[in-house]
Amino acid sequence: MASPLKNFIHFFLICTIHFISSSTAKTSTRPKGLILPVYKDLSTHQYITEIKQRTPLVPVKLAVDLGAEFLWVNCEKDFTTSSYKPALCNSAPCKLSKSIACTTECYSAAKPGCTNNTCALFPENTIAPIQTSGSLGSDAIEVQSGAGSVTVPNFLFVCGSTILLDKLASGVTGMTGLGRAKISMPSQFFSAFGLRRKFGVCLSSTPSKGSIFFGEFDSSTAPLTHTPLLTNPVSLSSTKEPSAEYFIGVTAIHINGKAVHVNPALLSIKNDTGHGGTKISTVDKYTVLEASIYKAVEHAFVKELNVPRVRSVAPFGACFDSKKIGTAYSGPAVPTIDLVLQSKDVYWRIYGANSMVQVSKDVSCLGFVDGGVDSRTSIVIGGHQVEENLLEIDLKASQLGFSPLVYRKQICANFKFAAKA
Ligand SMILES: *[C@@H]1O[C@H](CO)[C@@H](O)[C@H](O)[C@H]1NC(C)=O
Ligand SMILES: *[C@@H]1O[C@H](CO)[C@@H](O)[C@H](O)[C@H]1NC(C)=O
């Protein structure tokens, strides 16, 4: 890693959470909030969290998927528990899940993931990607609540199989589902503990310091910019439900304050096909842009930066001699990239730390990827661009709050749950 970025990383802050008041480690039935610690696996660039599940409880590592409908775990291997309950076809949990399929008979010995008359869903490894059928059930889980931890006895999840683990980081046996669905992890946490329907996401580029937190938190030290969360009416899954993913309304892209020419039709979500629009992803490593948007952004960025290009390094297109790029407080001194939202004064500004990727000692690249002409979603804001930003997903208000430059203002390190929920 070259020195500008390395120096900069020392500024990076660590998303730890402190409760304002709790000095006792006693577990209350109604915690102020819940925390999933998140670390980045540096060999795969996956964001990984850990919960405890089953009876007796065992740690379960999960890749973080922000837009998925439900938690899924591999039940085919090393799944031992005395508290698993299958969700029967037409049961209340089955209806809640919007399942449209029922496994009437499983032909091998009964075990979690193989039971008769069980509600079927389709867990997906969105990283590989690969999707299979799976079955809905519940088991106990334990999550951190700051000083202590809390248990949810019947937490709904989907049993997947070993084949679904393809390309996941070592030791990972499932994926989170943090999307907009009745059986998503946030929905179950909110209803189990009566929490306000919002959660925060703070991914870190360092291997151990991110977190996802649920409930009311004190954002007084974190000036958030807000934009409406949009719903894509067409889901990728087999249900007729809207997509569980989080979309926002990008209306223009500015580089160094100058508008980049993009086809506005690509920026809105097409109601009939679900194509177009902008979503936030924790499974894409880098922001993926539809081909014409990518080309326009790359062209404008190269022109504004005005540093000679070097040979491209896949998957990136525009790469530079990093010795010729200065260092600013917010990373490499490169043109800002603004995703303009509902008005020209409301934008998600991407600074050098989030736009550039150091690929070798002397080469850094614009960390955006060309998604081709057939991309379903025109702009997928990926992990590298989300890191060190605080995102607040408020499902009650249906809005996204975001606070770039978290590393500079030390927001995550000073994060607090509100004294009163
Ligand atoms: C499912 O039901 C069939 C028929 O009643 C039975 O033979 C079989 O053992 C059951 N399988 C499981 C996994 O419970
Ligand atoms: C999509 O649907 C929304 C809500 O029903 C509507 O306001 C909007 O105009 C529609 N957009 C298009 C492009 O048809």
Side-chain angles (χ1 to χ4, degrees):
M1 191 175 285
S3 55
L5 195 57
K6 194 172 176 183
N7 289 339
F8 174 70
I9 276 171
H10 292 302
F11 286 104
F12 271 13
L13 267 162
I14 294 184
C15 303
T16 51
I17 297 177
H18 306 283
F19 285 87
I20 288 176
S21 54
S22 69
S23 53
T24 57
K26 166 180 84 205
T27 300
S28 74
T29 48
R30 192 169 183 278
K32 292 200 182 79
L34 307 179
I35 304 161
L36 296 177
V38 178
Y39 69 91
K40 184 176 185 177
D41 177 78
L42 291 183
S43 64
T44 58
H45 287 219
Q46 290 165 18
Y47 302 98
I48 312 295
T49 187
E50 190 173 296
I51 58 167
K52 288 190 174 135
Q53 193 197 35
R54 305 163 213 176
T55 307
L57 289 165
V58 292
V60 177
K61 281 189 181 156
L62 306 165
V64 173
D65 187 346
L66 182 67
E69 289 169 47
F70 47 76
L71 164 66
W72 66 261
V73 171
N74 179 20
C75 297
E76 204 173 41
K77 189 168 176 286
D78 302 330
F79 194 98
T80 310
T81 182
S82 60
S83 47
Y84 177 82
K85 294 189 194 80
L88 301 182
C89 298
N90 301 312
S91 64
C94 186
K95 287 185 181 136
L96 204 60
S97 78
K98 311 278 184 190
S99 159
I100 51 163
C102 174
T103 303
T104 50
E105 190 166 344
C106 181
Y107 294 102
S108 47
K111 60 176 184 186
C114 179
T115 45
N116 285 345
N117 189 29
T118 305
C119 190
L121 285 166
F122 297 88
E124 182 174 14
N125 169 347
T126 42
I127 291 172
I130 173 172
Q131 189 169 29
T132 63
S133 68
S135 51
L136 182 66
S138 66
D139 208 331
I141 70 163
E142 184 185 275
V143 289
Q144 292 179 25
S145 66
S149 57
V150 290
T151 303
V152 185
N154 295 298
F155 197 88
L156 292 166
F157 74 105
V158 172
C159 268
S161 45
T162 306
I163 194 175
L164 269 181
L165 303 181
D166 187 34
K167 296 194 172 68
L168 297 185
S170 167
V172 170
T173 58
M175 294 182 81
T176 69
L178 302 171
R180 276 200 273 197
K182 294 264 171 58
I183 61 162
S184 72
M185 297 176 78
S187 298
Q188 292 191 68
F189 290 146
F190 299 145
S191 58
F193 299 109
L195 299 172
R196 196 183 184 292
R197 297 175 50 77
K198 66 178 186 178
F199 67 100
V201 178
C202 200
L203 301 181
S204 179
S205 57
T206 62
S208 62
K209 306 297 185 188
S211 58
I212 295 174
F213 29 91
F214 302 83
E216 184 73 62
F217 44 87
D218 176 8
S219 51
S220 60
T221 53
L224 297 173
T225 303
H226 292 99
T227 193
L229 282 172
L230 307 180
T231 300
N232 186 331
V234 184
S235 165
L236 277 179
S237 74
S238 43
T239 63
K240 291 211 170 63
E241 295 305 303
S243 168
E245 299 170 300
Y246 299 101
F247 281 75
I248 56 172
V250 172
T251 56
I253 300 175
H254 291 176
I255 293 185
N256 260 0
K258 296 173 197 159
V260 173
H261 181 73
V262 296
N263 176 358
L266 291 169
L267 296 178
S268 58
I269 302 167
K270 290 187 185 60
N271 286 349
D272 51 344
T273 61
H275 283 241
T278 301
K279 71 174 181 185
I280 302 170
S281 166
T282 56
V283 299
D284 291 270
K285 295 178 202 175
Y286 307 103
T287 294
V288 183
L289 302 174
E290 180 278 337
S292 68
I293 301 177
Y294 177 82
K295 205 166 280 166
V297 164
E298 184 192 270
H299 179 80
F301 188 86
V302 168
K303 188 163 160 234
E304 287 296 319
L305 179 58
N306 198 22
V307 159
R309 286 174 72 165
V310 299
R311 186 199 291 263
S312 313
V313 178
F316 307 115
C319 296
F320 310 90
D321 178 348
S322 50
K323 294 191 300 298
K324 299 209 166 71
I325 298 175
T327 305
Y329 203 28
S330 47
V334 296
T336 53
I337 302 173
D338 294 342
L339 303 178
V340 183
L341 298 159
Q342 64 271 29
S343 83
K344 72 174 180 16
D345 307 320
V346 182
Y347 46 82
W348 178 328
R349 175 159 287 183
I350 301 170
Y351 293 91
N354 288 110
S355 63
M356 299 302 285
V357 176
Q358 191 79 36
V359 296
S360 65
K361 190 171 156 286
D362 295 328
V363 177
S364 60
C365 302
L366 174 63
F368 287 64
V369 174
D370 183 344
V373 289
D374 297 324
S375 63
R376 173 184 157 86
T377 301
S378 302
I379 302 177
V380 179
I381 303 175
H384 185 70
Q385 280 69 38
V386 170
E387 284 172 3
E388 318 305 335
N389 285 260
L390 168 63
L391 303 184
E392 180 198 80
I393 292 178
D394 187 333
L395 291 159
K396 186 155 179 260
S398 193
Q399 65 178 11
L400 171 76
F402 57 94
S403 183
L405 289 177
V406 166
Y407 39 84
R408 197 164 104 185
K409 293 177 180 164
Q410 311 193 1
I411 291 163
C412 277
N414 295 315
F415 225 74
K416 293 175 173 70
F417 281 109
K420 280 203 180 111

